[in-house]
């Protein structure tokens, strides 16, 4: 009956009336009602109910397999011998709820485009009503393939095979197997795992249809144990993104004679060994042109973190962090090393605690016009930025601090321009060279320095120029005529002890740069535009009189 609650059940009658005496006859049933007398002289009426009718729920997919990013519709059909069920169906992807939908004529449908690549156990749960019992559909294994042109690699998948086609249901077991099939426009998407192999890129892409190797969304992918993690030679239009490359006997990533290459957001560490004849760069490029090495972390490699050499021209090296690289047996490993190449822009990088200099600008006398801008270089074992044997280097708007030897050094170089840099506390108690800026006799005649901010927290060599060591900017300016707009003052970093080299309020670097200097960047280290500080009088010159010196723009 209806209206029954509690334990034991207590049922509220639909109607009760007084009979004037005890009723001892059996209950009577009429028109769906049951009439029950009692010894208390009353007659009660209750509604008759039937138990909920059993149901069955079926589930169908509009497309199985479907494609990642594309929509798929799941339709639940609920049937019963007791009529057409009403109520709600809830759709589940394993423990996750896709949504709830009301039944219409016994059916409910939901459409989604959010399923990731892989196999999803989808079910439909019909909730009980007073009339119909609950039921759950059998599981539909919804296979979601990658978009057209994507090859899947998943060494941990039970059905992985290196002889297949790289689908979600049967992915490749190795990245190398996918590389053999990765033609122009193809993307190799690699699932979480450690892949003990050297991946050789065997085909080229085009500028509009590159060959791409990438860690799958959210995946942690490690490539280890080979001569190299990735090797690109004689190929064009290739992207390597999102991998950890470690424990290679040679370079973690090596590129030779290639163009339109993107090496992005990788972590390259522990390449080679710190022993003579066994060292290796983290990322090494020779003969690389019109390419990008950006957003990578290179650390604890046995040679420089990033090496650009042998006519690697017109590339961008940006947003990388390179630290703790060391040969171990001799001081030689830099954070970023650019040699014998021209037309490159090295910008927005962080180099620190490397065995040798943060950035080596050893470009070669037959090469030049490389720009080193918006970089932060600190606590390196040699210089912050070392310009050697170079032509027309542009060293502009960098922050260089606390390096063992001279902060920014020029030796046997011609046509170097320094402007808008902050060079502070470099070469203090150095065992070798000193000075926030050092220019040797071979470089001094053609080197121009101006608009820089220099500072020492203790007395020492402020500038070493043409073999003369100047203890102050005033003395240097008087002796050479250089740095007419230079400033000697505490740059007021936010917290240099904890490597926060942003400018604090009141810094003399604020609104003081020459924005018309050669190679002056329009944006700062973070990619932000120049900002005028209303609390600071503009002493800058050029088209933007409020640009700041150093790599970081103060943002009030």
């Amino acid at each position: 009956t209806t209206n029954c609650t509690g334990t034991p059940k207590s049922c509220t009658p639909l109607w009760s009336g007084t009979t004037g005496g005890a009723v001892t006859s059996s209950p009577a049933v009429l028109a769906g009602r049951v009439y029950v007398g009692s010894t208390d002289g009353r007659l009660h009426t209750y509604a008759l109910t039937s138990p909920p009718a059993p149901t069955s729920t079926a589930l169908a997919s509009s497309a199985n397999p479907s494609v990642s990013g594309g929509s798929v519709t799941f339709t639940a059909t609920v049937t019963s011998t007791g009529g057409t069920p009403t109520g709600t169906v809830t759709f589940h992807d394993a423990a996750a709820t896709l949504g709830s939908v009301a039944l219409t004529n016994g059916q409910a449908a939901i459409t989604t485009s959010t399923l990731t690549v892989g196999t999803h156990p989808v079910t439909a749960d019909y909730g009980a009503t007073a009339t119909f019992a609950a039921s759950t559909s059998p599981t539909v294994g919804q296979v979601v393939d990658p978009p057209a042109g994507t090859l899947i690699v998943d060494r941990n998948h039970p059905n992985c095979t290196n002889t297949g086609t790289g689908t979600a249901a049967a992915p490749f077991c190795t990245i190398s197997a996918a590389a053999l099939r990765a033609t122009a426009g193809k993307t190799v998407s690699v699932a979480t795992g450690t892949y003990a192999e050297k991946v050789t890129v065997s085909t080229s892409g085009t500028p509009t249809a590159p060959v791409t190797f990438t860690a799958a969304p959210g995946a942690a992918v490690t490539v280890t144990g080979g001569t190299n993690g990735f090797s690109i030679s004689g190929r064009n239009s290739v992207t390597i993104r999102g991998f950890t490359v470690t424990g290679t006997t040679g370079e973690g990533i090596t590129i030779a004679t290639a163009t339109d290459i993107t090496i992005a957001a990788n972590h390259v560490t522990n390449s080679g060994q710190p022993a003579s004849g066994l060292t290796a760069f983290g990322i090494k490029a020779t003969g690389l042109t019109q390419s990008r090495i950006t957003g990578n972390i290179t650390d604890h490699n046995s040679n420089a973190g990033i090496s650009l050499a042998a006519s690697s021209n017109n590339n961008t090296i940006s947003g990388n962090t390179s630290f703790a690289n060391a040969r171990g047996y001799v001081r030689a490993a830099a954070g970023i090393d650019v040699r014998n190449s021209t037309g490159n822009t090295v910008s927005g990088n962080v180099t620190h605690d490397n065995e040798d200099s943060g950035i080596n600008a050893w470009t070669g006398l037959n090469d030049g016009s490389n720009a080193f801008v918006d970089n932060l270089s600190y606590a390196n074992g040699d210089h912050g930025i070392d310009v050697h044997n170079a032509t027309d280097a542009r060293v502009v708007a960098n922050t260089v601090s606390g390096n063992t030897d001279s902060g920014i050094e020029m030796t046997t170089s011609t046509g170097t321009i320094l402007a808008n840099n902050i060079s502070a506390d470099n070469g203090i108690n150095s065992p070798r060279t000193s000075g926030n800026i050092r220019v040797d006799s071979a470089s001094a005649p053609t080197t121009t320095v101006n608009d820089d901010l220099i500072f020492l927290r203790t007395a020492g060599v402020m500038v070493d120029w043409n073999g003369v060591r100047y203890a102050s900017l005033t003395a240097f300016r008087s002796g050479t005529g250089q740095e007419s707009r230079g400033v000697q003052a505490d740059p007021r970093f936010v917290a240099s002890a904890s490597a926060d080299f942003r400018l604090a309020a009141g810094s003399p670097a604020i609104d003081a740069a020459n924005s018309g200097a050669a190679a002056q960047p329009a944006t700062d280290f973070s990619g932000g535009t120049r900002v005028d500080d209303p609390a600071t009088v503009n002493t800058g010159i050029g088209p933007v009189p409020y640009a700041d010196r150093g790599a970081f723009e103060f943002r009030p």
Side-chain angles (χ1 to χ4, degrees):
T1 61
T2 58
N3 302 323
C4 296
T5 60
T7 304
K9 293 289 186 182
S10 175
C11 301
T12 302
L14 297 176
W15 173 87
S16 297
T18 303
T19 61
V23 178
T24 58
S25 62
S26 299
V29 178
L30 177 66
R33 299 288 189 267
V34 58
Y35 298 88
V36 180
S38 68
T39 57
D40 63 359
R42 295 176 63 83
L43 180 66
H44 305 283
T45 303
Y46 298 90
L48 285 175
T49 60
S50 300
T55 64
S56 177
T57 299
L59 179 63
S61 168
S62 63
N64 197 359
S66 59
V67 176
S68 175
S71 62
V72 58
T73 299
F74 296 102
T75 301
T77 302
V78 185
T79 57
S80 174
T81 57
T84 302
T86 59
T88 301
V89 172
T90 300
F91 297 85
H92 298 281
D93 174 12
T97 299
L98 297 175
S100 297
V101 180
L103 285 169
T104 301
N105 296 323
Q107 285 193 326
I110 191 169
T111 300
T112 181
S113 58
T114 62
L115 298 180
T116 57
V117 172
T119 301
H120 296 260
V122 180
T123 56
D125 292 336
Y126 169 62
T129 66
T131 308
F132 297 98
S135 59
T136 298
S137 73
T139 298
V140 170
Q142 179 66 37
V143 176
V144 181
D145 282 332
T150 299
L151 306 175
I152 299 297
V153 179
D154 186 354
R155 69 180 304 275
N156 297 313
H157 196 287
N159 296 326
C160 78
T161 172
N162 286 335
T163 60
T165 56
T167 64
F172 293 114
C173 302
T174 65
I175 307 170
S176 296
L180 294 173
R181 297 163 177 82
T183 54
K186 295 284 188 181
T187 294
V188 176
S189 179
V190 186
T192 293
T194 298
Y195 295 80
E197 55 181 306
K198 170 185 176 180
V199 180
T200 300
V201 178
S202 58
T203 54
S204 291
T206 69
T208 57
V211 175
T212 299
F213 295 81
T214 182
V221 182
T222 297
V223 181
T224 187
T227 305
N228 315 109
F230 289 89
S231 175
I232 303 170
S233 180
R235 309 300 178 194
N236 305 316
S237 300
V238 175
T239 295
I240 309 292
R241 178 184 291 112
F243 297 92
T244 293
V245 179
T246 185
T248 55
T249 57
E251 279 68 39
I253 298 175
T254 180
I255 314 115
T257 317
T259 191
D260 188 28
I261 305 297
T262 299
I263 308 296
N266 301 286
H267 181 195
V268 185
T269 183
N270 289 307
S271 299
Q273 297 181 38
S276 180
L278 299 176
T279 62
F281 299 99
I283 300 172
K284 180 182 180 182
T286 57
L288 177 68
T289 60
Q290 302 290 340
S291 297
R292 300 145 296 279
I293 300 176
T294 182
N296 302 282
I297 299 172
T298 56
D299 66 277
H300 294 90
N301 299 290
S302 56
N303 211 328
I306 298 173
S307 169
L308 203 65
S311 297
S312 288
N313 303 329
N314 304 311
N315 303 290
T316 298
I317 314 300
S318 64
N320 303 284
T321 298
S322 191
F323 66 95
N325 298 289
R327 290 191 186 180
Y329 63 94
V330 62
R331 178 182 53 80
I336 297 173
D337 190 286
V338 179
R339 296 179 185 238
N340 304 314
S341 302
T342 189
N344 298 290
T345 298
V346 179
S347 66
N349 302 283
V350 178
T351 57
H352 68 90
D353 294 284
N354 294 287
E355 176 185 62
D356 197 59
S357 298
I359 298 174
N360 276 340
W362 291 33
T363 53
L365 289 174
N366 293 323
D367 303 282
S369 300
N370 294 289
F372 303 86
V373 302
D374 278 345
N375 299 288
L376 170 61
S377 186
Y378 68 94
N380 294 287
D382 199 22
H383 313 289
I385 300 175
D386 185 6
V387 182
H388 174 68
N389 220 34
T391 301
D392 297 337
R394 303 292 182 257
V395 182
V396 180
N398 302 283
T399 295
V400 178
S401 181
N403 295 284
T404 300
D405 293 344
S406 47
I408 304 174
E409 176 168 288
M410 280 71 64
T411 54
T412 60
S413 296
T414 59
T416 306
I417 293 178
L418 268 66
N420 298 328
N421 301 285
I422 296 176
S423 188
D425 291 332
N426 296 287
I428 296 175
N429 298 320
S430 170
R432 295 178 294 275
T433 62
S434 55
N436 284 311
I437 297 171
R438 178 176 180 264
V439 182
D440 75 353
S441 59
S443 306
T446 59
T447 295
T448 300
V449 297
N450 206 357
D451 298 286
D452 299 298
L453 190 157
I454 56 179
F455 176 72
L456 288 175
R457 67 178 182 270
T458 185
V461 178
M462 193 67 64
V463 179
D464 182 340
W465 182 275
N466 196 21
V468 179
R469 297 181 175 184
Y470 296 92
S472 70
L473 177 62
T474 300
F476 170 64
R477 182 184 293 128
S478 176
T480 66
Q482 298 275 3
E483 288 286 9
S484 61
R485 282 178 32 85
V487 174
Q488 179 181 327
D490 185 346
R492 297 193 64 178
F493 297 129
V494 170
S496 59
S498 56
D500 188 344
F501 292 94
R502 293 174 300 158
L503 303 177
S507 168
I510 297 173
D511 295 356
N514 175 8
S515 61
Q520 167 69 10
T523 57
D524 75 339
F525 174 90
S526 65
T529 57
R530 303 297 174 178
V531 176
D532 191 7
D533 176 21
T536 301
V537 175
N538 294 341
T539 59
I541 60 175
V544 183
Y546 50 80
D548 298 349
R549 303 186 189 197
F552 299 94
E553 187 79 5
F554 176 70
R555 303 188 182 280

